[in-house]
Amino acid sequence: MKKCLAILITALLLPQLALAWGYIGHKTIAEIAERNLTAKAKANIEKYTKGTPLHEYSLWMDQVTATPPYDDALSGWHASIADVDCTSDKIIRQRYRKGRDGVTAMENFRVQLKDYQSLSDSTVLIAIKCIVHIVADFHCPTHMRFVDLHHEGKYPVTFLGESWNYHAVWDTGIVEAYHKGWDYKKYADHLNTLQDKQIKSITKGWAQDWFEDNCKYVRPIIYWTINDGKSVPSLDMSFVEKGGPIAENQMQRAGYRLATALNTIFGN
C-alpha cells in the first residue's frame, strides 16, 4: 500500500484528463460528503488538505490515471464486480479482478489508515483523494460490473441527437441534462436533504454492503438499451427523465456514504 501511494505522489505531476462520473457528479458527491463530516473528522482531514475543499480532489484519480503507467496501477479502483445475485464477496472480486477493484481498495484503506497519524502527510493526502473518488465511482451505474455480463456500456448510442457511448451517458450526460444548467452546488443543495434515520439506514456497513446495494438497484439499466453491434440506440429526453432519478439517487447515497467513510477513518 505504501509503495502504491508513493507512486501516486509522483503522479501528481502528470497531465490531467477528467473522466468517470464527470465534473458535476464527482463534485456533487464530494460536496455532500463535506457537508456531513463530523467536526472532528473535518479538523483531522484539514490537517492534510490545508482547508482545500474535498470537491477539488474529486476528479484527481481520473486526472492522473489517464497516463501510463498510472492507468494500470489505479484503473481497477474505479469499479467493482458482483455475481448474478449482486453479491460481491472477496472470492468473487479476487477471481474476476484479482482484488483490483473499488470495494477491495476501500477495505484496504480502512485497515491501513487505522493509524494514519503514523504515515507521512503526503501519503494520507493521497489516500483522501483516492477515497473521495473511489466511493463515488462504485455508485456510478456503468462502473458496476457483473460476472455474467461484463457490461461497461462502451458502445455507441445517439443521446439527445448527438453521438455518445452508453457509458458516458450515465457518467455525464444524464446528470447534465436532467437539471440543465445546475452546477454541483445546486445539485448538493437538492440532494443533501435526508433525515438522520434515512442516513443511518443507507450508510450501514462498509464498502461491500454499499456496492451490493447499488448493484441490486442499478442492474436493470443494463437492459435499457440493446447492444447488438448492428443498430445504434437513440436516447431522447424520455430516457433522461427515466434515468435522472437513478443518477440522483446514486449521487445522494454516494455523498452520505463518502462522509461515513471519512468520519469512520478520521473521526477518532
Side-chain angles (χ1 to χ4, degrees), residues 74-95:
L74 298 178
S75 62
W77 290 0
H78 296 268
S80 199
I81 193 163
D83 62 15
V84 295
D85 297 316
C86 296
T87 300
S88 186
D89 290 335
K90 185 175 182 179
I91 189 171
I92 294 171
R93 288 178 268 125
Q94 186 62 39
R95 179 182 302 162

Side-chain angles (χ1 to χ4, degrees), residues 45 48-49 54 57 124-132 262 266:
I45 289 170
Y48 302 96
T49 65
L54 293 180
Y57 297 134
V124 176
L125 179 59
I126 294 298
I128 292 170
K129 292 178 180 181
C130 289
I131 290 169
V132 167
L262 294 171
F266 295 101

Side-chain angles (χ1 to χ4, degrees), residues 98-187:
K98 301 188 186 318
R100 292 167 56 83
D101 65 277
V103 169
T104 301
M106 284 302 297
E107 289 178 345
N108 291 341
F109 272 126
R110 187 175 187 179
V111 172
Q112 310 241 351
L113 292 172
K114 196 168 186 179
D115 188 24
Y116 66 87
Q117 296 93 337
S118 66
L119 302 175
S120 70
D121 288 359
S122 57
T123 295
V124 176
L125 179 59
I126 294 298
I128 292 170
K129 292 178 180 181
C130 289
I131 290 169
V132 167
H133 194 88
I134 290 168
V135 174
D137 262 7
F138 69 62
H139 283 75
C140 185
T142 44
H143 286 248
M144 300 175 201
R145 309 285 186 258
F146 295 94
V147 301
D148 60 324
L149 295 167
H150 307 285
H151 179 78
E152 296 183 35
K154 293 182 179 179
Y155 55 85
V157 298
T158 299
F159 178 65
L160 303 182
E162 298 181 356
S163 296
W164 285 65
N165 68 55
Y166 192 58
H167 188 109
V169 166
W170 282 98
D171 284 358
T172 302
I174 288 177
V175 175
E176 292 182 350
Y178 190 50
H179 294 292
K180 198 168 182 63
W182 279 22
D183 63 8
Y184 72 92
K185 289 185 178 180
K186 184 70 174 177
Y187 258 114

